[in-house]
Amino acid sequence: MPGDGVTRTGMGAESWSRGAGLVDFEARVDMSRLRAGRWARARAALADAKLDAVLVWKEENVRYLTSLRPQVIAGKNGVLNGALFTRDGVAILFISGGDRDRAEASMPWVAEFHTVPILEEPGLVRHAATAIIPEVLRRHGLAGGAVGIDLASKLLMDALGETCPGVRWVDGDAAMQAARRVKSAEELAVLEEATAIAEAVTATAVAHVAAGVRECEVAAEAMRTLYRLGGEYPHVTTPFVASGERMSPPTRLATDKLIREGDLVFIDIGAMWNGYFGDIGRTVVCGTPSAEQCRIYRTVWEALQAGIDAMRPGVTNVAVAAAIRGRAEHHGLAEHFLSLFIGHGIGCGSNEPPYVGEDIPGAAAVVLEPGMVFALEPLIWVPGVAGGGGVRLEDMVAVTGDGARRMSRSPYCEALLA
């Protein structure tokens, strides 16, 4: 039907970015439909978890349920803004006073707005847990209900336990992860735009790699592109530009180190757009690479392609990791992976479950489904290589009914693949 947004052609999610603006000549992302789809999946997840509501404080969960784009204050995730979402589909914001007036005037889909303080000072936390949250729960029939919570301080939980004695407080983050795991056509379209911006950010960074340029200067130029194109903020709060020996082992930020001839340079900055992240990483070389640098790069490139090829519905994240590690083993470098996962889910969360290649006990084996989106990012580093022996390549990958689709289009380094 006309007005159905990105799915009106009957072809499902589109695989390219139409543009980030609102136009009259074609249907683009229907944000009302996006929100409705998220609410439907959240309600289903609450029902499956036997929850009457969730009280969320993590930024990605608040964004998913309410579309709130607040001022972000570094280090304050979980204490600035919260949301209550009921199984009936009612969204309520507990919001910082600095954002309330603007949000209340422009977000008609949110049923109620309640100003809360930064939830750190004991007296202010107790006030929120005594005078604000319990009354909202009571009015919505939740005083004796099962309410999931995702992130809260011991102080807040103790206070809510005293002031809401009939509420059964349980984990709510697992239900939110379940709701967010498979993306709708609208979400995939937003992810395409975020990926396109991330590609532009990466291209700007690569273009500024030169001998005598500092890592922090490369990051600065990339950040200019991010904001010029309307990105909200980078995928990583500390932009990752590491050159030469700073990739062996990796230094996961941009320093004042000068890039030198023969340095490998890794760039991982990404972009958020309309609440969704695009995450791309590329390694390039300043000047002419050594044979060992090329060997490491080709190993990582082949491992990444093997991982992408393995991503099909019905396959597990464990099998994808095995394909990546198996290709590295073929080149004798399987013992040189960074001690971190080698892929992660992505959406409203910059890194979200399921993870690929997480070796810490307890990581879930998950069957891939169409609509899941991952950032695959194998990183291998070898010590003692002049100009650095650390390489990571990272691509956005969507799982479709036919297999994997690489969403990111940033080129690989031809000099290192030669």
Side-chain angles (χ1 to χ4, degrees):
M1 291 180 61
D4 279 354
V6 296
T7 59
R8 68 183 179 84
T9 62
M11 297 175 64
E14 292 184 318
S15 59
W16 56 288
S17 75
R18 289 182 172 271
L22 183 65
V23 297
D24 71 343
F25 59 83
E26 66 180 6
R28 293 189 178 176
V29 181
D30 183 335
M31 293 299 178
S32 294
R33 181 168 177 162
L34 174 82
R35 283 189 293 270
R38 295 194 305 208
W39 283 11
R41 289 193 299 280
R43 293 176 67 185
L46 264 61
D48 289 343
K50 296 180 171 52
L51 296 176
D52 298 305
V54 285
L55 177 62
V56 297
W57 300 96
K58 290 172 67 173
E59 290 172 1
E60 58 262 45
N61 286 336
V62 175
R63 185 69 177 259
Y64 187 86
L65 293 174
T66 70
S67 297
L68 175 69
R69 181 184 174 184
Q71 181 186 61
V72 176
I73 301 176
K76 299 301 180 186
N77 184 21
V79 298
L80 287 177
N81 300 288
L84 180 71
F85 185 78
T86 71
R87 202 195 295 190
D88 296 332
V90 177
I92 296 161
L93 267 171
F94 299 103
I95 186 168
S96 167
D99 282 313
R100 175 171 177 171
D101 293 346
R102 183 264 306 173
E104 195 163 11
S106 58
M107 298 172 64
W109 53 86
V110 174
E112 298 176 20
F113 298 82
H114 301 275
T115 302
V116 292
I118 296 177
L119 295 174
E120 290 180 319
E121 186 175 325
L124 294 174
V125 171
R126 177 156 289 279
H127 174 77
T130 302
I132 302 174
I133 297 173
E135 174 59 19
V136 175
L137 294 175
R138 186 193 63 76
R139 283 192 293 101
H140 289 274
L142 297 168
V147 179
I149 194 160
D150 63 348
L151 180 69
S153 68
K154 180 71 162 54
L155 193 64
L156 178 60
M157 287 309 305
D158 284 350
L160 288 174
E162 293 176 15
T163 61
C164 305
V167 173
R168 183 163 61 90
W169 297 104
V170 295
D171 173 62
D173 202 31
M176 291 304 304
Q177 290 172 21
R180 289 165 33 208
R181 180 168 291 175
V182 174
K183 276 64 177 178
S184 67
E186 287 75 23
E187 288 180 290
L188 289 167
V190 176
L191 282 161
E192 286 286 348
E193 296 298 337
T195 301
I197 295 172
E199 290 167 357
V201 169
T202 304
T204 298
V206 169
H208 283 85
V209 169
V213 176
R214 294 177 297 177
E215 295 168 356
C216 54
E217 292 179 282
V218 173
E221 296 298 332
M223 292 297 290
R224 179 180 182 275
T225 293
L226 170 69
Y227 290 120
R228 179 174 59 82
L229 296 179
E232 296 184 25
Y233 44 85
H235 172 265
V236 283
T237 304
T238 51
F240 188 172
V241 179
S243 63
E245 288 77 5
R246 284 210 183 276
M247 274 297 284
S248 304
T251 301
R252 300 197 301 162
L253 43 87
T255 75
D256 59 351
K257 178 189 176 298
L258 285 167
I259 296 170
R260 302 172 67 189
E261 181 74 16
D263 275 357
L264 294 180
V265 183
F266 176 65
I267 295 153
D268 184 357
I269 298 173
M272 177 198 256
W273 185 76
N274 269 305
Y276 289 82
F277 286 95
D279 189 11
I280 299 170
R282 287 294 182 265
T283 300
V284 297
V285 65
C286 179
T288 303
S290 68
E292 180 67 355
Q293 288 173 329
C294 289
R295 181 177 83 95
I296 298 166
Y297 187 96
R298 177 163 287 279
T299 299
V300 173
W301 181 82
E302 289 185 10
L304 174 61
Q305 306 315 309
I308 294 173
D309 290 344
M311 296 181 73
R312 302 181 304 276
V315 172
T316 67
N317 54 339
V318 176
V320 174
I324 294 170
R325 295 188 188 278
R327 199 60 201 162
E329 186 174 4
H330 175 79
H331 288 279
L333 291 174
E335 302 303 315
H336 290 273
F337 278 96
L338 182 68
S339 56
L340 184 72
F341 50 79
I342 49 181
H344 56 84
I346 190 166
C348 285
S350 53
N351 289 24
E352 58 187 37
Y355 291 92
V356 175
E358 176 57 85
D359 288 336
I360 296 175
V366 176
V367 176
L368 304 192
E369 303 175 51
M372 287 183 174
V373 179
F374 292 85
L376 279 189
E377 52 177 353
L379 192 162
I380 289 173
W381 69 275
V382 177
V385 178
V391 173
R392 172 183 270 171
L393 297 170
E394 182 174 23
D395 275 317
M396 295 279 291
V397 183
V399 180
T400 76
D402 299 321
R405 177 173 66 81
R406 186 164 73 94
M407 299 173 71
S408 43
R409 303 183 185 183
S410 295
Y412 304 109
C413 183
E414 293 183 5
L416 286 162
L417 281 174

